[in-house]
Amino acid sequence: MAEESAEAWLLESLRLYHDLHVFELQEPTRVIEWAGEKSVCVAGYENSRRNEILQLLLPQKLVCVLREISRWNVVDFPTALCTACGMCQTPDVIKSVSTIPTGNDSKKPWTKIATTLARTPCVLHGSRVNNVQITEIESKKNIYTAASSSSDEVSGLEFLDCNTLLACCVKGQLCLADVRQPQSPLGDTSVPSALSGAQWCMGVGPGLQGSDVNAPTIARLSSGGQLILTDLRNIPKPLKSAKCKVSAASPSTEFLRVSWAPVLDGCLAISGFNGTVHIYDTRSWPASGGEAEPLFSHKGHLFSGMDNGSDFPLVTTHAWHPWKPRMLLSAASDGSLHVWDWAESHKNS
């Protein structure tokens, strides 16, 4: 039955996708980022050993080329942030140039990070609200520290511009701060009491059609599949909300992810519940809420482990192509890596 389902999906994929490329990595990844039209960077995430950062050429073949991935590569570890420059004398090694202590120990949550190129290269980092700070990469000088007594765990950090940062707590609160005010408090707002008890992550996107383009829209996704859209100019009042069509709560909030499409207005992707990536068009959501139907669902990872009899894999992350509207990367816990561009005229059942 499983083999028949996989064969049926492969046949259906001819209709559903303009392009579909399926690869297998030696180790699973939860860090993928486009580095050009046909190349991506991936990194391992095992805590017990050293991990590789690779640049892969897609879709023709997978080749480790490690050629000046970026000026700065920031690798997230539990106790420190390691900064690295591009390829040096050894052709397959990125040289570590410094570390930035985070004040964590191995028993505390992993530090979340965000970077910006709008000023002297710096990194926004923190694992809890009361230790969120900004550090210059080269000088390691601390240029901002949040003044908060909250020890709530942070699930995501973002620079909204060179002066404004946003944090999302695991409990769902959004915290906004102006970095021009040292020791400024992180103002926050909670999720509705009816939705408390879940764990949350966030995705920052452009303003929805008809709104101020300078006002980003924040999508918050819960481990139970609830999505809330928020305009930062009026945080207490959600723009829209919907219940995603997921079969069960996310088994690991470590892999919970929501992201906005860069060039497909009003669309976002969610993953981390099973082996599926769901695409939603938020423009079609009614203001009253309710369950939302996905615009498209990529189910390819569900069939990755069927040949060896393993359990269904869990999607660990996904990433939109910077300028191709319907092309995404997705990776799963079995090491599968998919590049897919779904056909606009088809909706997955």
Side-chain angles (χ1 to χ4, degrees), residues 271-311:
S271 62
F273 295 91
N274 48 32
T276 305
V277 181
H278 294 294
I279 310 295
Y280 287 91
D281 185 351
T282 63
R283 297 171 300 177
S284 64
W285 292 359
S288 58
E291 187 174 80
E293 290 288 334
L295 177 68
F296 187 83
S297 298
H298 175 64
K299 302 177 181 179
H301 295 284
L302 290 173
F303 306 106
S304 299
M306 286 188 171
D307 292 339
N308 55 26
S310 61
D311 295 333

Side-chain angles (χ1 to χ4, degrees), residues 143-147 163 165 176-186:
I143 59 176
Y144 170 82
T145 301
N163 296 314
L165 68 87
L176 193 65
D178 187 335
V179 303
R180 292 168 296 187
Q181 303 175 20
Q183 297 289 333
S184 66
L186 284 171

Side-chain angles (χ1 to χ4, degrees), residues 58 62 105 185 207 239 338:
L58 303 173
L62 297 183
D105 57 42
L239 292 172
H338 293 184

Side-chain angles (χ1 to χ4, degrees), residues 90-132:
T90 306
D92 59 350
V93 175
I94 297 176
K95 181 182 178 181
S96 175
V97 294
S98 66
T99 60
I100 300 174
T102 63
N104 288 351
D105 57 42
S106 59
K107 297 181 180 179
K108 292 183 179 180
W110 281 55
T111 298
K112 305 302 185 294
I113 63 173
T115 58
T116 179
L117 299 178
R119 58 168 75 216
T120 302
C122 58
V123 58
L124 168 65
H125 58 95
S127 60
R128 300 187 183 277
V129 177
N130 56 10
N131 66 18
V132 170

Side-chain angles (χ1 to χ4, degrees), residues 222 224-227 241-246 248 280 285 289-293:
S222 80
Q226 189 73 27
L227 264 170
S241 65
K243 181 70 169 64
C244 298
K245 200 170 185 179
V246 296
Y280 287 91
W285 292 359
E291 187 174 80
E293 290 288 334

Side-chain angles (χ1 to χ4, degrees), residues 21-287:
H21 304 277
V22 178
F23 304 98
E24 290 186 10
L25 302 175
Q26 291 183 344
E27 300 290 342
T29 181
R30 58 170 296 185
V31 181
I32 53 178
E33 185 173 339
W34 290 95
E37 184 176 2
K38 292 185 178 180
S39 63
V40 297
C41 290
V42 302
Y45 62 89
E46 293 293 333
N47 191 18
S48 58
R49 59 178 176 80
R50 298 182 67 180
N51 293 293
E52 293 181 313
I53 301 175
L54 305 176
Q55 185 176 358
L56 310 176
L57 297 180
L58 303 173
Q60 297 93 337
K61 56 185 177 179
L62 297 183
V63 181
C64 176
V65 293
L66 276 180
R67 290 285 193 273
E68 190 66 30
I69 292 177
S70 63
R71 175 66 182 94
W72 294 106
N73 299 289
V74 182
V75 184
D76 184 10
F77 290 93
T79 58
L81 303 179
C82 293
T83 61
C85 63
M87 188 182 70
C88 298
Q89 295 181 354
T90 306
D92 59 350
V93 175
I94 297 176
K95 181 182 178 181
S96 175
V97 294
S98 66
T99 60
I100 300 174
T102 63
N104 288 351
D105 57 42
S106 59
K107 297 181 180 179
K108 292 183 179 180
W110 281 55
T111 298
K112 305 302 185 294
I113 63 173
T115 58
T116 179
L117 299 178
R119 58 168 75 216
T120 302
C122 58
V123 58
L124 168 65
H125 58 95
S127 60
R128 300 187 183 277
V129 177
N130 56 10
N131 66 18
V132 170
Q133 53 192 294
I134 299 175
T135 304
E136 288 186 350
I137 292 178
E138 294 186 350
S139 68
K140 292 190 285 187
K141 177 183 177 183
N142 182 285
I143 59 176
Y144 170 82
T145 301
S148 176
S149 59
S150 172
S151 60
D152 287 345
E153 184 180 345
V154 170
S155 63
L157 293 170
E158 289 287 349
F159 279 105
L160 299 182
D161 55 42
C162 61
N163 296 314
T164 311
L165 68 87
L166 180 68
C168 179
C169 299
V170 168
K171 293 181 180 179
Q173 303 99 319
L174 290 177
C175 306
L176 193 65
D178 187 335
V179 303
R180 292 168 296 187
Q181 303 175 20
Q183 297 289 333
S184 66
L186 284 171
D188 69 83
T189 182
S190 302
V191 298
S193 58
L195 302 176
S196 61
Q199 294 184 302
W200 296 77
C201 67
M202 73 169 178
V204 179
L208 295 180
Q209 190 172 30
S211 64
D212 186 347
V213 294
N214 294 319
T217 302
I218 311 303
R220 281 177 286 175
L221 174 66
S222 80
S223 54
Q226 189 73 27
L227 264 170
I228 297 177
L229 307 185
T230 302
D231 186 331
L232 287 178
R233 296 169 300 178
N234 190 7
I235 293 180
K237 185 179 180 180
L239 292 172
K240 292 182 178 180
S241 65
K243 181 70 169 64
C244 298
K245 200 170 185 179
V246 296
S247 57
S250 173
S252 174
T253 54
E254 178 184 8
F255 302 129
L256 197 63
R257 177 160 168 75
V258 56
S259 65
W260 288 94
V263 293
L264 203 58
D265 188 50
C267 290
L268 52 76
I270 68 167
S271 62
F273 295 91
N274 48 32
T276 305
V277 181
H278 294 294
I279 310 295
Y280 287 91
D281 185 351
T282 63
R283 297 171 300 177
S284 64
W285 292 359

